[in-house]
Amino acid sequence: MTLALAIAAVALAAASGGAGVAVRRSPALAQRAACALLVLGAALGLAAAAATLAGGAPAELHWPWGVPGGALALRLDALAALFLVPVFGVPAAGAVYGLAYYPQAARGARAVRLQLLYGAVTAAMALVVLAANAILFLAAWEVMALCGFLLVLTEHDRPDAQQAALVYLCATHVGTLALFALFGLLGSAAGSFDFARMLRAGLPATPGVFVLALGAFGLKAGLWPFHFWLPGAHAAAPSHVSALLSGVLLKTGIYGLLRVTGLFAAPPAWWGLAVLVVGAVSAVLGVAFALAQHDLKRLLAYHSVENVGIIAMGIGLALVGRAVGDPALVLLGFAGGALHVVNHALFKALLFLGAGAVDHACGTRELDRLGGLARAMPITAGLFLLGAVAISGLPPLNGFVSEWLVYLGALRAVSSASPLVAWAALTAPALALVGGLAAACFAKVFGTVFLGAPRSERVSLAHEAARSMLAPMAALAALCGVIGLFPRPLLPALYRAAAAWAQPANGIAGEPARAAVASARAISACAALLLAAAGLLAAWRHRHARGAPLAETWTCGYTRPTPRMQYTGSSFAEMLTLRFGWAFFPRARVEPPRGPFPQRAAFSSHVPDTVLDVALLPVLQSASWGAERVRRLHRGQVQGQALLVGLALLGLLAWRFLWW
């Protein structure tokens, strides 16, 4: 029954975009119909996931398929059900948000195409999670990748969207090639491409399998240094598409890594330590690069790199626990990472939708052109603030609970008898550093965007977002609060998902996780009480200060202060970004003031992505330049062609002499 609901959900999501084509004469009705079909499909999918996580038995379906090695094999177990929650939840919120943000009546064919692809990518992601055969997994993976490419290219006439989509397409196909090699190795060793046969085959945990899995799924998840496609794609796409990319599509990489590592009964400890190191580097450098950004959506994109790193740290701890036979470490690490998958989908979708509301009202995402929006957009400001608190890992919201589980898992590693495993405890200070930097980054964002005075005329005319945009944001914010204050009911679902992953599931200890969740709930409750007391005190002071005389804010001696005299996002974060100068290659343009009464001065800075802009693109440009020169020689005179043949022969002879 649960699998039938999930299949119906996939079918409804895939067909939802067709309403925009069928009823094109009435664009508003067509978009509402597409939204209703997607929301209905999401409701069915969430019902199937909830029933499975509540204790329902795993459901399977296996049909023959004409593709060699392939089978229409689907399986809904607790691990798949956990990932179906963001797969269906975030697109449903985005579809409602898109009614006002990207209306079909105004956008025309682009909105129709977006709705078709939005439903298709939701169905493809669900099939990736449900697939129990490697060939079916790869087919759904490729459909998901192509739909993601076309969604990034929604605004196809913009050069930044074209470049971001091309980089994404190249990166995702490199990852797909690695997946072909990975499943080729696993399938040949097991004699079948079915995941169940691979699990029973007792596959050897070879380094090649792990490197291919980490590279392929790390590219999709956006782990450092495989993240290079992510900032541009998230910034170029419409905001509800960015919410889907960040909140859901990245998590398919995490799911793939979990599903493949779950095929091995006892993965070696170095697998977990390698994932831990990659996760810690991703988290620290992701938040560091976010601090240096000026574009609101690029900033949020780098925070996706940070949070995927936190998820990887939890998975790394769980892998280490499986290697050394520590069931408590397995559950703490897995529960922290898996819960952060859901939590990140909620608060990151909320933040991207909030950024879209700001862009929709002001026509810009540049931090240094915004300001003072809390007066014009108070509801958006409040919801964005809740998302900022959640992503910073502060109580009483949901980000704190999942990070707290990872903290406790890292501290448990200290008591391990293995000195190698004890190094996993360094996860705790890395996570503390990331939390502090994230809080500083969002203090900068909220202060620059919503406080102070407007920095441009367009911003001063901003207005609150439409109700259909605010409603999904409010729902996401409410879920962040509910999970933060009442995490205990989620523990059985996390236990079942961990049991579905850690095969066999014997010895997964639940008591440390129960104690961790109880302590997290107590801390969140205390934080909520303190916030409530502070709110009551502020209300009391506001009520009794109504008759007090008002005075202007101190203006540092200026008689006519202007918005240009405010702190910018760059100046706010400068002291922190300087600490990471070894990882940045900043580019600045300075026009200093000249003369005793200068009329003009300007300063602008840009921090390129170290991997893409500093390392990959120059190498590719040099290779393209060399290839062009070789092509000209090849098309030129006979002497040039003979020279190329001679050089190739000399190279082959040298290689033969050196290696044999």
Side-chain angles (χ1 to χ4, degrees):
M1 181 62 181
T2 55
L3 189 54
L5 285 176
I7 294 173
V10 171
L12 284 172
S16 62
V21 179
V23 203
R24 292 186 67 177
R25 293 185 179 180
S26 179
L29 177 61
Q31 190 169 15
R32 292 194 193 99
C35 176
L37 285 175
L38 186 55
V39 170
L40 177 59
L44 295 178
L46 291 174
T52 304
L53 291 172
E60 296 185 10
L61 180 67
H62 199 286
W63 287 342
W65 194 15
V67 176
L72 296 175
L74 303 175
R75 177 179 170 85
L76 178 57
D77 57 11
L79 179 61
L82 183 69
F83 279 82
L84 282 182
V85 173
V87 164
F88 284 116
V90 172
V96 176
Y97 180 90
L99 292 175
Y101 176 77
Y102 213 89
Q104 184 174 330
R107 302 283 184 165
R110 291 190 184 187
V112 175
R113 185 170 62 249
L114 188 149
Q115 291 160 31
L116 283 167
L117 295 169
Y118 204 78
V121 76
T122 302
M125 291 187 296
L127 275 180
V128 166
V129 172
L130 293 170
N133 176 273
I135 305 301
L136 179 61
F137 182 97
L138 287 171
W141 186 274
E142 185 63 11
V143 172
M144 176 185 70
L146 292 175
C147 290
F149 161 71
L150 294 172
L151 283 170
V152 173
L153 202 59
T154 299
E155 304 290 340
H156 55 81
D157 52 349
R158 286 169 37 195
D160 62 326
Q162 296 169 7
Q163 180 178 356
L166 179 61
V167 172
Y168 166 75
L169 187 65
C170 294
T172 194
H173 278 93
V174 169
T176 302
L177 289 174
L179 284 183
F180 276 113
L182 170 66
F183 287 125
L185 290 175
L186 295 177
S188 62
S192 172
F193 287 105
D194 286 345
F195 292 154
R197 291 278 299 275
M198 293 179 186
L199 179 62
R200 293 193 298 267
L203 299 172
T206 60
V209 167
F210 175 74
V211 170
L212 286 171
L214 185 60
F217 294 124
L219 260 172
K220 182 63 69 177
L223 287 169
W224 192 280
F226 312 119
H227 72 287
F228 55 87
W229 64 269
L230 191 152
H234 285 42
S239 289
H240 58 312
V241 173
S242 301
L244 183 144
L245 294 175
S246 177
V248 189
L249 190 135
L250 298 184
K251 307 310 188 322
T252 59
I254 298 297
Y255 172 79
L257 186 61
L258 283 171
R259 186 58 80 186
V260 169
T261 54
L263 299 175
F264 300 89
W270 70 268
W271 281 24
L273 293 175
V275 174
L276 266 176
V277 170
V278 172
V281 172
S282 298
V284 173
L285 291 183
V287 71
F289 270 86
L291 273 165
Q293 299 305 307
H294 308 298
D295 183 288
L296 182 55
K297 288 180 67 175
R298 283 185 69 90
L299 181 146
L300 294 176
Y302 276 108
H303 275 289
S304 296
V305 179
E306 169 218 337
N307 281 274
V308 168
I310 294 173
I311 295 168
M313 284 193 265
I315 294 171
L317 288 171
L319 284 170
V320 170
R322 288 180 62 186
V324 301
D326 188 341
L329 184 57
V330 172
L331 187 56
L332 284 172
F334 179 88
L339 183 57
H340 206 70
V341 166
V342 178
N343 288 341
H344 177 252
L346 294 174
F347 57 64
K348 182 52 69 66
L350 170 60
L351 290 169
F352 266 116
L353 297 185
V358 170
D359 188 16
H360 189 264
C362 303
T364 182
R365 303 189 307 260
E366 288 292 326
L367 297 181
D368 295 342
R369 295 183 182 179
L370 299 167
L373 289 177
R375 297 183 184 88
M377 308 175 69
I379 301 177
T380 300
L383 294 173
F384 192 94
L385 180 60
L386 284 172
V389 173
I391 198 174
S392 300
L394 298 174
L397 298 182
N398 58 341
F400 166 74
V401 178
S402 49
E403 291 189 26
W404 180 251
L405 291 171
V406 178
Y407 269 121
L408 296 181
L411 295 176
R412 184 176 178 82
V414 178
S415 60
S416 174
S418 171
L420 185 64
V421 175
W423 283 99
L426 293 177
T427 304
L431 199 53
L433 173 63
V434 169
L437 292 175
C441 184
F442 278 95
K444 154 195 158 177
V445 171
F446 191 81
T448 306
V449 174
F450 294 102
L451 302 181
R455 292 177 172 85
S456 66
E457 184 179 355
R458 173 75 181 270
V459 175
S460 64
L461 301 176
H463 55 83
E464 185 58 272
R467 291 181 181 179
S468 62
M469 296 169 66
L470 293 174
M473 294 167 60
L476 294 169
L479 289 172
C480 291
V482 169
I483 294 175
L485 290 171
F486 306 103
R488 184 66 181 267
L490 301 176
L491 190 57
L494 294 172
Y495 180 89
R496 293 185 183 98
W501 172 67
Q503 302 284 350
N506 54 351
I508 294 183
E511 185 56 38
R514 284 192 289 271
V517 168
S519 61
R521 181 184 178 184
I523 294 172
S524 294
C526 291
L529 289 174
L530 289 174
L531 288 173
L536 290 174
L537 179 61
W540 180 83
R541 291 192 61 183
H542 178 73
R543 180 178 180 182
H544 287 77
R546 287 182 178 178
L550 299 177
E552 292 185 0
T553 305
W554 181 52
T555 57
C556 303
Y558 289 100
T559 57
R560 297 181 62 188
T562 68
R564 291 186 61 194
M565 296 175 184
Q566 302 175 102
Y567 277 106
T568 63
S570 303
S571 60
F572 186 94
E574 183 181 10
M575 294 296 292
L576 291 172
T577 54
L578 286 176
R579 304 298 179 187
F580 292 90
W582 53 271
F584 298 160
F585 292 84
R587 300 168 184 172
R589 185 182 67 84
V590 182
E591 186 179 341
R594 302 182 184 280
F597 300 101
Q599 298 297 316
R600 178 174 173 78
F603 171 82
S604 63
S605 63
H606 170 62
V607 177
D609 187 88
T610 305
V611 176
L612 178 64
D613 298 320
V614 178
L616 288 179
L617 287 182
V619 171
L620 293 175
Q621 289 169 357
S622 300
S624 177
W625 180 87
E628 177 63 23
R629 296 303 180 274
V630 171
R631 187 176 65 85
R632 289 182 180 179
L633 280 175
H634 180 70
R635 291 170 52 188
Q637 298 178 352
V638 176
Q639 293 89 336
Q641 298 179 18
L643 176 62
L644 287 177
V645 173
L647 290 175
L649 289 173
L650 288 174
L652 290 172
L653 288 172
W655 178 69
R656 173 71 173 81
F657 176 76
L658 290 174
W659 293 100
W660 274 279

